[in-house]
PDB file of all heavy atoms in Angstrom:
ATOM      1  N   GLY A 138       8.043  12.634   7.091  1.00 95.00           N
ATOM      2  CA  GLY A 138       7.063  11.713   7.667  1.00 95.00           C
ATOM      3  C   GLY A 138       5.881  11.388   6.782  1.00 95.00           C
ATOM      4  O   GLY A 138       4.893  10.805   7.223  1.00 95.00           O
ATOM      5  N   ALA A 139       5.964  11.717   5.493  1.00 95.00           N
ATOM      6  CA  ALA A 139       4.878  11.414   4.567  1.00 95.00           C
ATOM      7  C   ALA A 139       4.754   9.913   4.272  1.00 95.00           C
ATOM      8  O   ALA A 139       5.680   9.155   4.502  1.00 95.00           O
ATOM      9  CB  ALA A 139       5.100  12.173   3.245  1.00 95.00           C
ATOM     10  N   THR A 140       3.555   9.529   3.798  1.00 95.00           N
ATOM     11  CA  THR A 140       3.361   8.171   3.363  1.00 95.00           C
ATOM     12  C   THR A 140       3.639   7.988   1.888  1.00 95.00           C
ATOM     13  O   THR A 140       3.714   6.828   1.408  1.00 95.00           O
ATOM     14  CB  THR A 140       1.935   7.691   3.705  1.00 95.00           C
ATOM     15  OG1 THR A 140       1.013   8.663   3.124  1.00 95.00           O
ATOM     16  CG2 THR A 140       1.714   7.611   5.203  1.00 95.00           C
ATOM     17  N   TRP A 141       3.686   9.061   1.108  1.00 96.00           N
ATOM     18  CA  TRP A 141       3.718   8.961  -0.326  1.00 96.00           C
ATOM     19  C   TRP A 141       5.054   8.456  -0.920  1.00 96.00           C
ATOM     20  O   TRP A 141       5.101   8.123  -2.086  1.00 96.00           O
ATOM     21  CB  TRP A 141       3.324  10.254  -1.020  1.00 96.00           C
ATOM     22  CG  TRP A 141       3.715  11.571  -0.388  1.00 96.00           C
ATOM     23  CD1 TRP A 141       2.873  12.451   0.204  1.00 96.00           C
ATOM     24  CD2 TRP A 141       5.040  12.146  -0.317  1.00 96.00           C
ATOM     25  NE1 TRP A 141       3.580  13.559   0.614  1.00 96.00           N
ATOM     26  CE2 TRP A 141       4.880  13.377   0.334  1.00 96.00           C
ATOM     27  CE3 TRP A 141       6.319  11.721  -0.737  1.00 96.00           C
ATOM     28  CZ2 TRP A 141       5.964  14.225   0.548  1.00 96.00           C
ATOM     29  CZ3 TRP A 141       7.398  12.567  -0.527  1.00 96.00           C
ATOM     30  CH2 TRP A 141       7.222  13.782   0.150  1.00 96.00           C
ATOM     31  N   ASN A 142       6.073   8.349  -0.132  1.00 96.00           N
ATOM     32  CA  ASN A 142       7.309   7.737  -0.624  1.00 96.00           C
ATOM     33  C   ASN A 142       7.675   6.441   0.100  1.00 96.00           C
ATOM     34  O   ASN A 142       8.813   5.993   0.067  1.00 96.00           O
ATOM     35  CB  ASN A 142       8.469   8.736  -0.570  1.00 96.00           C
ATOM     36  CG  ASN A 142       8.911   9.071   0.859  1.00 96.00           C
ATOM     37  OD1 ASN A 142       8.077   9.009   1.789  1.00 96.00           O
ATOM     38  ND2 ASN A 142      10.157   9.391   1.044  1.00 96.00           N
ATOM     39  N   LYS A 143       6.653   5.863   0.765  1.00 97.00           N
ATOM     40  CA  LYS A 143       6.884   4.665   1.534  1.00 97.00           C
ATOM     41  C   LYS A 143       5.856   3.565   1.144  1.00 97.00           C
ATOM     42  O   LYS A 143       4.662   3.787   1.284  1.00 97.00           O
ATOM     43  CB  LYS A 143       6.750   4.994   3.007  1.00 97.00           C
ATOM     44  CG  LYS A 143       7.825   5.948   3.498  1.00 97.00           C
ATOM     45  CD  LYS A 143       7.529   6.478   4.879  1.00 97.00           C
ATOM     46  CE  LYS A 143       8.549   7.545   5.297  1.00 97.00           C
ATOM     47  NZ  LYS A 143       8.334   8.813   4.599  1.00 97.00           N
ATOM     48  N   LEU A 144       6.378   2.480   0.663  1.00 97.00           N
ATOM     49  CA  LEU A 144       5.521   1.324   0.324  1.00 97.00           C
ATOM     50  C   LEU A 144       5.455   0.422   1.569  1.00 97.00           C
ATOM     51  O   LEU A 144       6.469   0.068   2.136  1.00 97.00           O
ATOM     52  CB  LEU A 144       6.129   0.544  -0.844  1.00 97.00           C
ATOM     53  CG  LEU A 144       5.338  -0.685  -1.323  1.00 97.00           C
ATOM     54  CD1 LEU A 144       4.092  -0.255  -2.073  1.00 97.00           C
ATOM     55  CD2 LEU A 144       6.241  -1.524  -2.235  1.00 97.00           C
ATOM     56  N   ILE A 145       4.194   0.152   1.988  1.00 98.00           N
ATOM     57  CA  ILE A 145       3.997  -0.614   3.243  1.00 98.00           C
ATOM     58  C   ILE A 145       3.221  -1.895   2.920  1.00 98.00           C
ATOM     59  O   ILE A 145       2.212  -1.861   2.242  1.00 98.00           O
ATOM     60  CB  ILE A 145       3.207   0.209   4.271  1.00 98.00           C
ATOM     61  CG1 ILE A 145       3.844   1.588   4.431  1.00 98.00           C
ATOM     62  CG2 ILE A 145       3.123  -0.531   5.606  1.00 98.00           C
ATOM     63  CD1 ILE A 145       2.945   2.613   5.142  1.00 98.00           C
ATOM     64  N   ARG A 146       3.732  -3.013   3.407  1.00 97.00           N
ATOM     65  CA  ARG A 146       3.068  -4.287   3.216  1.00 97.00           C
ATOM     66  C   ARG A 146       1.659  -4.233   3.819  1.00 97.00           C
ATOM     67  O   ARG A 146       1.488  -3.931   5.015  1.00 97.00           O
ATOM     68  CB  ARG A 146       3.890  -5.433   3.844  1.00 97.00           C
ATOM     69  CG  ARG A 146       3.438  -6.791   3.449  1.00 97.00           C
ATOM     70  CD  ARG A 146       4.380  -7.857   4.032  1.00 97.00           C
ATOM     71  NE  ARG A 146       5.763  -7.694   3.646  1.00 97.00           N
ATOM     72  CZ  ARG A 146       6.238  -8.111   2.493  1.00 97.00           C
ATOM     73  NH1 ARG A 146       5.484  -8.725   1.609  1.00 97.00           N
ATOM     74  NH2 ARG A 146       7.523  -7.931   2.199  1.00 97.00           N
ATOM     75  N   ARG A 147       0.667  -4.541   3.061  1.00 97.00           N
ATOM     76  CA  ARG A 147      -0.750  -4.440   3.491  1.00 97.00           C
ATOM     77  C   ARG A 147      -1.042  -5.333   4.695  1.00 97.00           C
ATOM     78  O   ARG A 147      -1.683  -4.899   5.646  1.00 97.00           O
ATOM     79  CB  ARG A 147      -1.687  -4.844   2.334  1.00 97.00           C
ATOM     80  CG  ARG A 147      -3.121  -4.644   2.652  1.00 97.00           C
ATOM     81  CD  ARG A 147      -4.000  -5.003   1.436  1.00 97.00           C
ATOM     82  NE  ARG A 147      -5.379  -4.830   1.679  1.00 97.00           N
ATOM     83  CZ  ARG A 147      -6.153  -5.762   2.270  1.00 97.00           C
ATOM     84  NH1 ARG A 147      -5.636  -6.888   2.658  1.00 97.00           N
ATOM     85  NH2 ARG A 147      -7.445  -5.522   2.491  1.00 97.00           N
ATOM     86  N   ASP A 148      -0.491  -6.546   4.714  1.00 97.00           N
ATOM     87  CA  ASP A 148      -0.810  -7.411   5.846  1.00 97.00           C
ATOM     88  C   ASP A 148      -0.121  -6.919   7.138  1.00 97.00           C
ATOM     89  O   ASP A 148      -0.580  -7.192   8.235  1.00 97.00           O
ATOM     90  CB  ASP A 148      -0.509  -8.910   5.554  1.00 97.00           C
ATOM     91  CG  ASP A 148       0.941  -9.167   5.255  1.00 97.00           C
ATOM     92  OD1 ASP A 148       1.779  -8.260   5.214  1.00 97.00           O
ATOM     93  OD2 ASP A 148       1.261 -10.327   5.045  1.00 97.00           O
ATOM     94  N   PHE A 149       0.966  -6.126   6.970  1.00 98.00           N
ATOM     95  CA  PHE A 149       1.605  -5.589   8.198  1.00 98.00           C
ATOM     96  C   PHE A 149       0.718  -4.480   8.732  1.00 98.00           C
ATOM     97  O   PHE A 149       0.563  -4.372   9.976  1.00 98.00           O
ATOM     98  CB  PHE A 149       3.002  -5.056   7.898  1.00 98.00           C
ATOM     99  CG  PHE A 149       3.743  -4.646   9.132  1.00 98.00           C
ATOM    100  CD1 PHE A 149       4.386  -5.588   9.898  1.00 98.00           C
ATOM    101  CD2 PHE A 149       3.677  -3.345   9.612  1.00 98.00           C
ATOM    102  CE1 PHE A 149       5.023  -5.240  11.069  1.00 98.00           C
ATOM    103  CE2 PHE A 149       4.343  -2.985  10.775  1.00 98.00           C
ATOM    104  CZ  PHE A 149       5.002  -3.922  11.506  1.00 98.00           C
ATOM    105  N   ILE A 150       0.126  -3.650   7.891  1.00 98.00           N
ATOM    106  CA  ILE A 150      -0.806  -2.640   8.343  1.00 98.00           C
ATOM    107  C   ILE A 150      -1.972  -3.272   9.109  1.00 98.00           C
ATOM    108  O   ILE A 150      -2.335  -2.823  10.192  1.00 98.00           O
ATOM    109  CB  ILE A 150      -1.354  -1.780   7.177  1.00 98.00           C
ATOM    110  CG1 ILE A 150      -0.231  -0.971   6.511  1.00 98.00           C
ATOM    111  CG2 ILE A 150      -2.492  -0.877   7.613  1.00 98.00           C
ATOM    112  CD1 ILE A 150      -0.624  -0.303   5.226  1.00 98.00           C
ATOM    113  N   ALA A 151      -2.490  -4.369   8.564  1.00 97.00           N
ATOM    114  CA  ALA A 151      -3.601  -5.066   9.218  1.00 97.00           C
ATOM    115  C   ALA A 151      -3.185  -5.630  10.547  1.00 97.00           C
ATOM    116  O   ALA A 151      -3.892  -5.531  11.576  1.00 97.00           O
ATOM    117  CB  ALA A 151      -4.170  -6.161   8.308  1.00 97.00           C
ATOM    118  N   LYS A 152      -1.967  -6.206  10.577  1.00 97.00           N
ATOM    119  CA  LYS A 152      -1.463  -6.818  11.819  1.00 97.00           C
ATOM    120  C   LYS A 152      -1.243  -5.796  12.905  1.00 97.00           C
ATOM    121  O   LYS A 152      -1.602  -6.004  14.075  1.00 97.00           O
ATOM    122  CB  LYS A 152      -0.197  -7.582  11.532  1.00 97.00           C
ATOM    123  CG  LYS A 152       0.385  -8.338  12.725  1.00 97.00           C
ATOM    124  CD  LYS A 152       1.585  -9.166  12.328  1.00 97.00           C
ATOM    125  CE  LYS A 152       2.831  -8.352  12.358  1.00 97.00           C
ATOM    126  NZ  LYS A 152       4.065  -9.112  12.169  1.00 97.00           N
ATOM    127  N   CYS A 153      -0.660  -4.635  12.597  1.00 97.00           N
ATOM    128  CA  CYS A 153      -0.354  -3.637  13.591  1.00 97.00           C
ATOM    129  C   CYS A 153      -1.525  -2.730  13.897  1.00 97.00           C
ATOM    130  O   CYS A 153      -1.540  -2.000  14.892  1.00 97.00           O
ATOM    131  CB  CYS A 153       0.866  -2.829  13.220  1.00 97.00           C
ATOM    132  SG  CYS A 153       0.627  -1.576  11.936  1.00 97.00           S
ATOM    133  N   GLY A 154      -2.555  -2.717  13.034  1.00 97.00           N
ATOM    134  CA  GLY A 154      -3.761  -1.964  13.298  1.00 97.00           C
ATOM    135  C   GLY A 154      -3.632  -0.469  13.066  1.00 97.00           C
ATOM    136  O   GLY A 154      -4.402   0.326  13.576  1.00 97.00           O
ATOM    137  N   ALA A 155      -2.620  -0.079  12.266  1.00 97.00           N
ATOM    138  CA  ALA A 155      -2.448   1.377  11.950  1.00 97.00           C
ATOM    139  C   ALA A 155      -3.682   1.910  11.222  1.00 97.00           C
ATOM    140  O   ALA A 155      -4.190   1.300  10.282  1.00 97.00           O
ATOM    141  CB  ALA A 155      -1.199   1.581  11.144  1.00 97.00           C
ATOM    142  N   ARG A 156      -4.127   3.079  11.634  1.00 96.00           N
ATOM    143  CA  ARG A 156      -5.295   3.720  11.037  1.00 96.00           C
ATOM    144  C   ARG A 156      -5.054   5.229  11.028  1.00 96.00           C
ATOM    145  O   ARG A 156      -4.396   5.794  11.891  1.00 96.00           O
ATOM    146  CB  ARG A 156      -6.562   3.463  11.877  1.00 96.00           C
ATOM    147  CG  ARG A 156      -6.985   2.021  11.928  1.00 96.00           C
ATOM    148  CD  ARG A 156      -7.578   1.600  10.593  1.00 96.00           C
ATOM    149  NE  ARG A 156      -8.059   0.214  10.628  1.00 96.00           N
ATOM    150  CZ  ARG A 156      -7.324  -0.845  10.309  1.00 96.00           C
ATOM    151  NH1 ARG A 156      -6.069  -0.696   9.978  1.00 96.00           N
ATOM    152  NH2 ARG A 156      -7.833  -2.034  10.305  1.00 96.00           N
ATOM    153  N   PHE A 157      -5.658   5.887  10.022  1.00 95.00           N
ATOM    154  CA  PHE A 157      -5.667   7.361  10.025  1.00 95.00           C
ATOM    155  C   PHE A 157      -6.699   7.763  11.040  1.00 95.00           C
ATOM    156  O   PHE A 157      -7.725   7.134  11.237  1.00 95.00           O
ATOM    157  CB  PHE A 157      -6.049   7.905   8.637  1.00 95.00           C
ATOM    158  CG  PHE A 157      -4.927   7.764   7.644  1.00 95.00           C
ATOM    159  CD1 PHE A 157      -4.862   6.670   6.785  1.00 95.00           C
ATOM    160  CD2 PHE A 157      -3.914   8.697   7.578  1.00 95.00           C
ATOM    161  CE1 PHE A 157      -3.832   6.512   5.849  1.00 95.00           C
ATOM    162  CE2 PHE A 157      -2.875   8.573   6.651  1.00 95.00           C
ATOM    163  CZ  PHE A 157      -2.820   7.494   5.811  1.00 95.00           C
ATOM    164  N   LEU A 158      -6.398   8.882  11.758  1.00 93.00           N
ATOM    165  CA  LEU A 158      -7.334   9.375  12.783  1.00 93.00           C
ATOM    166  C   LEU A 158      -8.679   9.762  12.144  1.00 93.00           C
ATOM    167  O   LEU A 158      -8.738  10.296  11.050  1.00 93.00           O
ATOM    168  CB  LEU A 158      -6.768  10.611  13.476  1.00 93.00           C
ATOM    169  CG  LEU A 158      -5.510  10.384  14.372  1.00 93.00           C
ATOM    170  CD1 LEU A 158      -5.076  11.689  14.987  1.00 93.00           C
ATOM    171  CD2 LEU A 158      -5.808   9.340  15.447  1.00 93.00           C
ATOM    172  N   GLU A 159      -9.740   9.485  12.874  1.00 91.00           N
ATOM    173  CA  GLU A 159     -11.079   9.809  12.372  1.00 91.00           C
ATOM    174  C   GLU A 159     -11.309  11.312  12.471  1.00 91.00           C
ATOM    175  O   GLU A 159     -10.717  11.992  13.271  1.00 91.00           O
ATOM    176  CB  GLU A 159     -12.153   9.080  13.193  1.00 91.00           C
ATOM    177  CG  GLU A 159     -12.153   7.595  12.920  1.00 91.00           C
ATOM    178  CD  GLU A 159     -13.242   6.873  13.662  1.00 91.00           C
ATOM    179  OE1 GLU A 159     -14.226   7.549  14.075  1.00 91.00           O
ATOM    180  OE2 GLU A 159     -13.151   5.661  13.829  1.00 91.00           O
ATOM    181  N   GLY A 160     -12.234  11.808  11.637  1.00 87.00           N
ATOM    182  CA  GLY A 160     -12.546  13.224  11.623  1.00 87.00           C
ATOM    183  C   GLY A 160     -11.548  14.030  10.840  1.00 87.00           C
ATOM    184  O   GLY A 160     -10.603  13.497  10.247  1.00 87.00           O
ATOM    185  N   ARG A 161     -11.731  15.294  10.816  1.00 83.00           N
ATOM    186  CA  ARG A 161     -10.837  16.151  10.018  1.00 83.00           C
ATOM    187  C   ARG A 161      -9.531  16.414  10.738  1.00 83.00           C
ATOM    188  O   ARG A 161      -9.522  16.979  11.839  1.00 83.00           O
ATOM    189  CB  ARG A 161     -11.566  17.502   9.721  1.00 83.00           C
ATOM    190  CG  ARG A 161     -10.675  18.467   8.962  1.00 83.00           C
ATOM    191  CD  ARG A 161     -11.459  19.261   7.981  1.00 83.00           C
ATOM    192  NE  ARG A 161     -10.685  20.348   7.355  1.00 83.00           N
ATOM    193  CZ  ARG A 161      -9.821  20.130   6.402  1.00 83.00           C
ATOM    194  NH1 ARG A 161      -9.674  18.926   5.903  1.00 83.00           N
ATOM    195  NH2 ARG A 161      -9.133  21.117   5.870  1.00 83.00           N
TER     196      ARG A 161
END
Side-chain angles (χ1 to χ4, degrees):
T140 53
W141 36 249
N142 68 331
K143 297 168 185 72
L144 181 73
I145 308 165
R146 192 177 302 278
R147 184 178 181 276
D148 62 358
F149 189 84
I150 293 172
K152 183 175 85 172
C153 75
R156 296 286 182 270
F157 287 95
L158 292 181
E159 290 184 19
R161 176 145 173 79

